[in-house]
Amino acid sequence: MKIKYLFYSLMIVGMLGTTSCGNKYDLKEDAGKIGTAMCKSINIMNQLKAANPQDSDLVWKLRQDAKNTQIEMTILYQEFNTKWGDKTKKEDFTKAFGQELRKAMLNCKSLSKEDRENFMKELKE
């Protein structure tokens, strides 16, 4: 389940496309906000996976948290697209944003060992 949400999030990043034509600090800040929301989503999915299915209150709460996090991510991406506009369609912007997002995701304690290794590898390339 975690991989599904991570894939979904990275797919959105890929669709955004990104170049560093704007302020690099703003791009880093925006990537940090999105990375934080993605990390939150991963954490919730991990908790949901580990939750006892018999504990319906906890499962319900975690599903609500997941839904709220998805809404938060949707809003962040809408704001990102509004802010960066046509720049998101340029390959160099997409690459720069992807790099910043990977850096932000490395701060996520809920990131699996394999995903962390993949992000680190991609950052070196």
Side-chain angles (χ1 to χ4, degrees), residues 75-117:
I75 292 168
L76 286 171
Y77 279 116
Q78 288 172 346
E79 290 173 351
F80 182 87
N81 281 327
T82 300
K83 179 178 181 177
W84 295 100
D86 289 338
K87 291 179 183 178
T88 63
K89 296 175 183 167
K90 296 180 180 175
E91 186 179 340
D92 55 337
F93 184 80
T94 303
K95 189 174 182 176
F97 176 71
Q99 290 291 93
E100 292 300 332
L101 184 59
R102 286 178 186 88
K103 288 177 190 175
M105 289 300 296
L106 288 176
N107 294 325
C108 180
K109 293 179 179 163
S110 300
L111 197 63
S112 72
K113 181 180 177 182
E114 296 82 19
D115 289 334
R116 184 174 307 282
E117 289 172 357

Side-chain angles (χ1 to χ4, degrees), residues 11-34:
M11 183 177 74
I12 291 173
V13 171
M15 290 180 354
L16 287 176
T18 34
T19 86
S20 54
C21 296
N23 184 334
K24 259 191 160 178
Y25 178 75
D26 283 347
L27 186 61
K28 183 176 182 175
E29 183 179 341
D30 290 346
K33 289 178 186 176
I34 292 170

Side-chain angles (χ1 to χ4, degrees), residues 11-68:
M11 183 177 74
I12 291 173
V13 171
M15 290 180 354
L16 287 176
T18 34
T19 86
S20 54
C21 296
N23 184 334
K24 259 191 160 178
Y25 178 75
D26 283 347
L27 186 61
K28 183 176 182 175
E29 183 179 341
D30 290 346
K33 289 178 186 176
I34 292 170
T36 299
M38 288 172 62
C39 183
K40 185 177 175 182
S41 179
I42 291 169
N43 186 42
I44 293 168
M45 289 301 114
N46 288 342
Q47 290 178 27
L48 190 56
K49 185 178 176 181
N52 181 349
Q54 303 290 330
D55 189 350
S56 59
D57 290 337
L58 178 61
V59 171
W60 182 84
K61 180 196 174 301
L62 290 171
R63 286 188 178 160
Q64 286 303 115
D65 289 348
K67 181 179 178 182
N68 291 338

